[in-house]
Each structure stands twice: as C-alpha cells, then as structure tokens.
Amino acid sequence: MSIPLSLYVHIPWCLHKCAYCDFNSHKLTGPLPEAQLLAALERDLIADLPLVEERELCSIFIGGGTPSLLAPEAIERLLKLLGRHCRLARDIEITLEANPGTLEKGRLADFAHAGIRRLSLGVQSFFTQTLKRLDRIHTGPQAEAAVEEALSADFESVNLDLMHGLPGQTFEGATADLERSVGFSPNHISWYQLTIEPNTLFYRYPPELPSDSTLAAIEQAGAKILASAGFVRYEISAYAQANHHSRHNLHYWEFGDYLGIGPGAHSKFTLANAKILRRQKLRQPESYLKAKNYLAKEAEISEQLLSFEYLMNALRLVEGTEDALYEERTGMPIGQLANWRCRNLKRGLLEPGSQLRASELGLRFLDDLLVDFSLKPQ
Amino acid sequence: MTPLDKIRNFSIIAHIDHGKSTLADRFIQICNALSEREMLDQVLDSMDIERERGITIKAQSVALSYRSENGEIYHLNLIDTPGHVDFSYEVSRSLAACEGALLVVDAAQGIEAQTVANCLAAMEQGLEVIPVINKVDLQQADPKAVKLDIEEVIGLDAASAIEVSAKTGFGVQRVLEQLIDRVQPPTGSNSSALRALIIDSWFDRYLGVVSLVRVMDGMLKVGDPVIPVSTGETHRVDLLGICTPERKPKEYLGTGEVGFVVAGVKNINGAPVGDTLIHAQHPNTLALAGFEKIKPQVYAGLFPTDSDSFKSFREALGKLALNDPALVFEPETSTALGFGFRCGFLGLLHMEIVQQRLEREYALELITTSPTVVYQVLKRNGELVKESNPALLPPPEQIQEMREPMALVTILTPKEYVGGIMTFCLDRRGEQRSMDYLGSQVSMVFVLPMAEVISELFSRLKGISHGYASMDYHFLCFQQAPLVRLNILINGEKVDALALVVHKDQAQSRGRALVERMQEVIPRQMFDVAIQAAIGNHVIARTTVKALRKNVTAKCYGGDITRKKKLLAKQAAGKKRMKQLGRVSIPQDAFLAVLRIDD
C-alpha cells in the first residue's frame, strides 16, 4: 500500500469555549481525567489497527480542544503507547497544539522533552483587547511570553496560529499582529481569516467585523509582510520557512490516509480492496470515556464524491496537484476532469499548464470552482 | 330514481372570507353526508393551495340528502364557485348548472364588487337568488345595513334575507328549507335523449379524464356509449357517481342530477369544459349552449430551471389546462432562459396558483418572467398585430402606433375611502366614468389600462381601504398610448426575458426602480456586474453589483470535511436555481423584480 498514513489524536477539553469555535470541544469542569483518557485512546487505537494493517505512520497530530492541558508526563505516556502499537517513520512529525495560557507557562520545554517535535501555538493576536473581543482567555503579554518560550525550547519546528478579520480589528491592528509574528522568526505561520460558523455564539449574536475593503487591504498588506520575511505561502492560509511545511496538514491536502482517535475524531483510509472509508468516533467525552465501541459513523466515499473531496483538499495548495497523485489517491482516471478543467481554465479559475492548480483568482474563489464541479463534474 | 321535484341544484355566491366554505360544511354536517371523523374543516376546498389561501378555485360539487321539515327527502346539489376576482369565468360555469343561488354576505363587511357582478349574472340567467347574511354572531355585525346594501346595490329584495351564523350553525337549517321552497326543481325529462353539460373536467392519474356533469335531459348510465359533441368521438361510460364529497359510484344519473363521469377519455382535450355529452344512439341531439371561450388578460413566460424537464413541463401544462380552460400556452424560446411556454392567465392570482400547482403537483422548478398584457401594434405597413411578449415587439422604426388594452373597473367602497381611491386610480392613468352613492357604499367606475389593473390594483385597493373596497373588471377596448419597450442589459447584454413595455412618461422612474431592485437581488460575483435600463440604445438608468473579493473558507480542517461539504452542497443547490446569462448568475427573483418595484 503506497498511500501514506497519519494519526490524529483529539483531546476534547478547553478551559473555556470560545464564541467563534465550532469544534468538538467542551468546557473542562473538574480535573482532567488523564488516566481514563489514555486508557480509552489506547483501546480506540487497538480497535482500529487491523484496518490499517502494518502501515507506518508518517505524522502524528495531537489537537483539540486544548491538548496542552495534559501534563507533559501524560503526553509522554501517550506517545509511548502510540509507539508500542504503531510503526513510526524515523523522521516522523509529531505536533502538539498548545495555548498561551497560565497553565502552559513553563511547561512548553517539557513537551519537547516528552517527544513532541513540532509545536503549534494558538496565538491568534498579540492585542489583549482584540483577544478579549474574540472571546479568548489569554492576553497579549501571555501570547508573547509563550512564543518566546516555545522558540527557546527544543522543538524542530514552531507554528504560530494567527487570525485576522476579527471583531473590532483595524488594518493597523491586523498588520501589527503579523509584523510582530514574523519578528519572532517562527518556522511556520497559519494566518487565517475569522469565519463565522453555524452553531457558535458568534453566529447567533454576530459581532461587528471589519469592512470588505479593510479585509482586502489587510490581506494585501499581510501577503507582503509574510513574503518579505521569507515565508512562502503554500496553502490558502499556510505560510512556511523553507523545509518547515506542516507535513500533517499537507498529508490531508494531498488526500493521504489518516486514523483519528479520541472523541469525535475523523478517519479516512483506503482499504486493501481500494475502497475508501470515512469514520467518526463518538463525540461526547463522557460517553467516549465509558464506551466499549468508539465508532459513531462509518461510510464509504462514493466514486462521485471521491474526486470532489480530493479537489476540495488538493486545490487549496498553491502548487495544486499532479495528475499521477490524483489517480493514485482516488483510483480514478484524471481524464474524467477534462471538461471541468477546460471550462474553468476559460473562467480563469485554473492555471494553464500540466499541473492541476488553481490560479490566483481560483484560490480566492475556490468555493465557486468546487461548486461548479459538484454541479457539472463531467 | 329521484323525482325531479325532489332535486334542487344551487350555488353559493360569496366573497372570499364571507364564510361560504363554512356554510357548506354545515350543510354537509346537517345532511350527514360526512361522518364526524371525515369532517375535515372546509371539505370543499380540496386542493392544498385552496386550503392554504382560503379561497376556492375549481368548481366542485357535493350531493346532499336532506330530510325536510315536511318529512320528505330532497336531493340537493351544491355546486361550488370560486370567490376571487380572477375567477369570474368559473362562476358562470357553475351557475349554468343551477336553478338557484345563495348570496352570502358578511354581516360585518357588507357587499363586495365581485359579489355584485356574480349575483347580477345569476339573476340574468334566471336563477332564484336567496340572500343570506352570515356572521350575525359577530359584535360588529350590522345586518340592517347589509340588507339595505343588497337592495340598493344589487336591487334584490332583501326583506326575506336569512340571518345565519355558519360558525355556530344558527339559521342554517332555515336556509335549506328556503332552498326547497324557493328554488325551482330542474326541468327536462328522463325519457328524452341524453344531454349532459360538462361543468368541469380534470385529469386523474388512475382514472384518466374525470368530468363533473349536470344531466339536463335523459339519463346517463354505466355502459352507455356517449359522445362529447365537440369531439364527435364515442366513449363508453366506465364509472359514474356523486360526490358526498367523497366519490360514491352509482349505476346511473337521472335528469337534474349532478355527478362525475369516467368514460375512458385519455386525451386531455377529449372532454372540454362547457361541452355537451350525448348518447351515441342519438348523434343528432342538439348541444346545450356552452360557455364563451375565456380570454386571458395576463401573459408571462414560464421556463423550467432545468432544461431537461421541458418535456414533463409540457405534459403538466396540458393536464392543468384540461380543467382550466382559462389557461392557454404556446412554446417560447428565450436566449436567457431557454425553452419554455408563454402562458395566458386570468390575472396575477391565477398565474401564481398555476405556477404553484406546477411546482407542487408536478415537482417542476420554474422561472416566471414579469407578467404583461397583450398589446396591439399598428405597423407602418398597415399591418395590425397582437403581441404579449415585449421581447418580440417589432423594432421601433416599424411601429406606427402602439395600443394597449383598457379595462372597465367597478369599485365598491365605503364613503371614507373615495378620495384615496380616486387619487390612486387617476395616478394610474385612470379616467373616471361615474360615481354613485348606494346606501352606505359608493360605486366608482373607471377606465384604466389593463396593465395597471393586473399589476397590483387589487392589493393596493385593499391597502388604501383597509380591506373594505372591492373591485370587478372586464376588458373594454384597445386604446392608442405612447408605449415604449424598456430593455434591461446585464454586463452589456440585452436580456430578452427582462424586457417590458412601459408608458413613456413612466420609463425613467420605472427604469431606475428596476435596476435598483435588480441590484438588490443579484448576488455579488467574481466580477462587477453592470445593470442598465435602456430605451433603444439610450441608457436611462444604471447600477453596479460590486465584485465579491473572494469566496473561500480561510481554514479547512483536513480531518473533518463534512461541514465544508455541506456548505458547498448548499451553495451548489442555490446556484442550481440560478440562470446563467453569459458569466453572470441571476437568481429567479430577478425575473420578477419588475413586479415589485412599487413596493
């Protein structure tokens, strides 16, 4: 089996549920049940293993929620148990998401010692007022301290998560955030615009967001700041220094296989018979911890959806995708896309050339490109 | 066999909301035609749309079996009539099958123009009209004033008017007794050759064509070979019966009776409304006087959003047209909307109902272009043509003269709204013909362009008068007018389906209002969209829908793509309902924008 495999581990708790967040995260009300969670994660993983046989893991991502709420010792035990059950690639990328809060202070270096190789820090902004409006619980100074701590610790790579288009944010505020971020010289920056998702507090009580023209100006100025600091945009919202691309995320965008363990975690993997399955685990942490069977949903991806899902991911990449990879990952001939490619080349949404790749316009109007595909795939 | 003197056929003439359906329900209850369990509110309105809108569209009938106070059992046939201004034609069909009519007037509302017109038609046809004053239980009820209205406005003796409350049941029995006393039994003879009037026909998926008939002479029996006079084709009666209101099969229908017939008619044009059924053994029997072929007043293009459904659209229209002789249609091709039909309707409500029925009953998705009237065009070469499609008008240099249809509009209103209505009608290029004070009401007669009448006169009249004024109208004549074609251009391309004909003096304001309205309904796209209104090559108004900056989700969480997929599926569904004009996606609303520019 040539399709690489990754592992996602979901830690479902946060100290506070933020108003914009629609992830499967839950406010932590007592002490974090570390031992129980680790035991459940191990059982969850063991149950999945037969499906992926002996395949090697190329990356591990521990996300949430707030995984940095786990003590470094717990993370170490988690990584050990993963190593006991799975074959890990020698150069495996192991990422942990962390928040710049009180709890994490002084602990970040210990995560590196525990075996975490890449740290993704949820900074979002360096302005306390902006963070407050975004309903985050950390402050600007806390964010700065955390970044410094992360960069001085022994990680191979550090990513800063940064948001823009935030409630009450000005052009100056947004660009200042970016300037300060690149000033720290992290290895990677995820710079994404706030999206109001259904099932969030912001959806029900919409905050006032910057105007369209401000957003446009922010994006234009931001792209310059990042580029001149040596960050190369390789995906719609992802910017990296040389050799510091997020391998785990690239893996998603290139339609690799992944197992997901933990409450609500999603998996996607190719079976020996070339069929591709999607699965989801039980979402509620309480039921997950007590469960004997962790599976909530399982479905095969139909052929019709397969190309669509592939394009949904792969076209987010600035470089797009090679025909061969499309055929390998979907098991379908690239020729089926000919009409759609031709049509959208004319619309200026695809880039001419042999590589299947969105144009600058196409990256901005990716939804239109995909909607066009779902209406007329042939 | 029911003796003729035990049969009474009647209709109810009433305005919407004046309680006709409730009264019918009471009749059905009293006559036990329906058990309690089956007694859905307002059983006569059987179509979903009728129930929702609380109005009756298609003629329906119900056979009632009533034991009178004199101990005799009478067979009463109630033939329902529609109560909206658009459907006066259907009323005349129902009346032709009756000897009597109940004039039902709301005790708190008074009489309405439409009711007056229908009542006069019934009297002209020699029907016995019995006035019934409904809702006397209401606090605002003023039966005395209503009686005065009936006498002054219609000229009908209201001394014997029956006061009832269909809601509580008060007085309802007395109505039935009066029906028996005052309405003449049917004439004709069971031994004569068969003549049955087709009151209504509709297409049933399982039975084929079903017709509602009134036997005027002779008998109609299962197994009989019958001929609709207009087609000359022989059909065998497979099934007949009465509606109580559910269908009850019978072996025969005698003279004077009303019921349904199924005779293996497969083609929807095989049993036209107004036709006469005769027995094949007496092929020379004279046909009954039919109905005057109705002329549509409003035309609009109907196009399937999905071009693959054109064929099923054509079939659906054919089926609807069977029991709706007012609906006419012919193929139309639009560069913007593809293949569709130009359809003629009685009025806007009729149009809306047809569109909804097509969408609901036949699962079609349709775009309707803005409704217009039929114009007469006198060309320079002396030719006189009629055109209902603005896009197909001859080029201006060929036009000598444009003529528009005018309507004679009768408005009935309480005194206090006369001023407001006057101003409104004069603003709409109306010309006053007369004004009469009748009891508590004023009758105003105007000549108005039909285009103004169909667009919104009815609803605006209701607005001005807080619901108290009512109107009736009919076509009067064609009249010369300075009319021009207003074109709408989207990104420089003329959109045929958006063209409309306007009065020269209104062109500027209409054009401005229209492009502004279009700007609101056309979503922002990847590029600027310019919307222009132009007469010939002269642009008179312009707006722009500014380009969207982007349409992409900032962060896509690789693991869970279900939400993103749902979002895209929703976008796709929305886009599917749009029409592509070049690169521009236009929602269906845009094609009706012209209708709402006065809101």
Side-chain angles (χ1 to χ4, degrees), chain B residues 10-28 42-45 50 54-60 62 78-84 87 91 94 102-106 118 132 134-135 164 166-167 172:
Chain B
F10 71 103
S11 288
I12 303 179
I13 298 170
H15 199 77
I16 317 164
D17 297 338
H18 282 201
K20 181 183 63 178
S21 298
T22 318
L23 185 63
D25 289 351
R26 287 285 160 264
F27 289 163
I28 293 166
Q42 308 197 344
V43 287
L44 275 186
D45 298 345
E50 292 186 9
I55 52 172
T56 308
I57 305 154
K58 298 303 304 171
Q60 297 265 358
V62 55
L78 165 57
I79 297 146
D80 204 11
T81 58
H84 187 273
F87 298 100
V91 176
S94 307
L102 300 174
L103 167 65
V104 176
V105 186
D106 186 320
N118 290 337
V132 174
N134 191 19
K135 306 195 189 180
V164 308
K167 201 170 123 205
V172 175

Side-chain angles (χ1 to χ4, degrees), chain A residues 201-217:
Chain A
L201 214 58
F202 273 179
Y203 190 80
R204 262 171 289 158
Y205 307 101
E208 196 171 324
L209 299 176
S211 72
D212 253 23
S213 55
T214 307
L215 287 172

Side-chain angles (χ1 to χ4, degrees), chain B residues 252-553:
Chain B
Y252 58 84
L253 289 174
T255 299
E257 292 193 291
V258 175
F260 65 87
V261 183
V262 178
V265 180
K266 295 279 177 275
N267 186 321
I268 53 174
N269 299 314
V273 170
D275 205 353
T276 306
L277 282 184
I278 58 172
H279 199 285
Q281 275 175 353
H282 307 281
N284 296 322
T285 313
L286 277 182
L288 297 156
F291 309 117
E292 194 190 335
K293 182 83 179 156
I294 187 80
K295 287 195 188 70
Q297 302 293 348
V298 184
Y299 285 81
L302 264 64
F303 295 87
T305 51
D306 173 9
S307 54
D308 294 342
S309 49
F310 177 76
K311 198 166 158 265
S312 41
F313 177 38
R314 187 177 54 202
E315 282 168 14
L317 267 177
K319 284 178 187 171
L320 275 192
L322 173 72
N323 37 349
D324 191 350
L327 173 65
V328 300
F329 55 95
E330 57 180 43
E332 177 180 1
T333 311
S334 153
T335 47
L337 301 174
F339 294 105
F341 283 97
R342 187 120 199 118
C343 303
F345 307 97
L346 296 171
L348 285 190
L349 181 72
H350 186 212
M351 172 176 118
E352 231 175 279
I353 286 169
V354 168
Q355 185 181 5
Q356 282 189 12
R357 286 190 63 186
L358 287 167
E359 293 194 335
R360 282 192 205 177
E361 295 168 30
Y362 299 92
L364 293 161
E365 284 192 17
L366 300 171
I367 291 181
T368 312
T369 62
S370 62
T372 65
V373 294
V374 184
Y375 295 96
Q376 263 187 1
V377 186
L378 179 63
K379 292 165 78 174
R380 289 200 190 278
N381 63 8
E383 205 185 332
L384 189 65
V385 294
K386 280 192 180 180
E387 187 51 67
S388 70
N389 187 348
L392 297 180
L393 283 177
E397 62 274 15
Q398 288 182 19
I399 298 176
Q400 172 84 36
E401 184 179 300
M402 290 282 292
R403 297 172 186 168
E404 65 177 331
M406 304 301 287
L408 191 69
V409 181
T410 306
I411 296 170
L412 211 53
T413 174
K415 290 184 191 105
E416 54 265 47
Y417 308 115
V418 166
I421 291 170
M422 181 84 73
T423 310
F424 179 76
C425 287
L426 296 180
D427 276 357
R428 305 276 136 167
R429 299 188 281 135
E431 187 187 298
Q432 198 187 340
R433 282 289 170 89
S434 68
M435 180 151 79
D436 292 297
Y437 286 77
L438 308 162
S440 62
Q441 305 239 47
V442 181
S443 162
M444 305 163 84
V445 178
F446 289 91
V447 175
L448 275 155
M450 188 65 91
E452 303 288 348
V453 177
I454 60 145
S455 64
E456 43 151 27
L457 183 60
F458 185 65
S459 59
R460 293 296 290 267
L461 204 59
K462 287 288 173 196
I464 292 170
S465 68
H466 304 290
Y468 285 108
S470 57
M471 64 172 260
D472 188 53
Y473 69 89
H474 61 259
F475 170 77
L476 187 65
C477 62
F478 277 96
Q479 185 176 301
Q480 194 269 329
L483 301 167
V484 291
R485 180 169 75 191
L486 192 60
N487 288 316
I488 299 298
L489 292 85
I490 291 184
N491 273 3
E493 276 186 56
K494 207 185 282 177
V495 184
D496 56 359
L498 286 172
L500 68 159
V501 172
V502 294
H503 194 273
K504 220 173 91 198
D505 298 345
Q506 296 175 334
Q508 184 76 39
S509 61
R510 284 254 176 162
R512 169 119 311 268
L514 186 53
V515 295
E516 277 167 10
R517 177 78 200 168
M518 297 282 286
Q519 187 189 22
E520 286 166 26
V521 294
I522 295 180
R524 297 170 63 189
Q525 331 219 338
M526 284 169 16
F527 38 81
D528 282 357
V529 177
I531 306 162
Q532 296 164 302
I535 298 169
N537 291 322
H538 178 53
V539 174
I540 58 168
R542 179 197 164 101
T543 53
T544 305
V545 178
K546 294 297 283 177
L548 197 64
R549 201 165 49 83
K550 62 175 185 180
N551 180 11
V552 54
T553 306

Side-chain angles (χ1 to χ4, degrees), chain B residues 65-80:
Chain B
S65 190
Y66 175 62
R67 181 181 290 278
S68 162
E69 283 162 7
N70 65 19
E72 301 277 356
I73 291 181
Y74 288 84
H75 291 266
L76 311 178
N77 292 305
L78 165 57
I79 297 146
D80 204 11

Side-chain angles (χ1 to χ4, degrees), chain A residues 12-40:
Chain A
W13 293 287
C14 285
L15 292 177
H16 166 76
K17 175 87 181 175
C18 301
Y20 66 90
C21 171
D22 74 331
F23 288 173
N24 185 29
S25 63
H26 303 262
K27 189 178 160 65
L28 186 62
T29 45
L32 200 152
E34 278 179 352
Q36 245 186 305
L37 177 67
L38 288 181

Side-chain angles (χ1 to χ4, degrees), chain A residues 140-305:
Chain A
Q142 277 177 323
E144 283 183 33
V147 174
E148 274 165 9
E149 193 183 326
L151 288 169
S152 59
D154 203 10
F155 296 109
E156 288 171 13
S157 198
V158 171
N159 165 58
L160 306 186
D161 256 2
L162 212 63
M163 292 170 85
H164 66 280
L166 304 178
Q169 194 178 42
T170 58
F171 171 81
E172 290 74 20
T175 46
D177 265 342
L178 258 190
E179 297 279 10
R180 200 155 335 166
S181 301
V182 300
F184 284 112
S185 298
N187 311 98
H188 189 283
I189 292 177
S190 287
W191 189 54
Y192 56 99
Q193 187 188 327
L194 172 68
T195 315
I196 306 292
E197 305 281 357
N199 306 318
T200 62
L201 214 58
F202 273 179
Y203 190 80
R204 262 171 289 158
Y205 307 101
E208 196 171 324
L209 299 176
S211 72
D212 253 23
S213 55
T214 307
L215 287 172
I218 290 174
E219 251 173 54
Q220 220 176 359
K224 268 195 202 136
I225 294 169
L226 285 158
S228 56
F231 288 87
V232 176
R233 184 193 194 196
Y234 67 101
E235 187 263 353
I236 283 170
S237 311
Y239 299 78
Q241 297 281 13
N243 302 320
H244 282 281
H245 303 81
S246 160
R247 272 147 59 190
H248 189 83
N249 283 332
L250 267 178
H251 183 83
Y252 286 142
W253 294 322
E254 288 173 347
F255 217 54
D257 282 355
Y258 50 91
L259 279 187
I261 60 171
H266 288 253
S267 310
K268 175 242 149 189
F269 50 87
T270 313
L271 298 174
N273 61 8
K275 292 206 184 304
I276 302 183
L277 286 187
R278 280 202 182 277
R279 325 172 94 203
Q280 191 189 352
K281 302 292 169 61
L282 296 173
R283 282 175 61 88
Q284 291 302 324
E286 304 81 58
S287 10
Y288 179 86
L289 290 180
K290 284 182 259 165
K292 292 212 165 61
N293 180 5
Y294 298 93
L295 192 61
K297 279 182 214 156
E298 179 177 73
E300 193 185 312
I301 310 179
S302 66
E303 271 196 16
Q304 199 194 342
L305 266 181

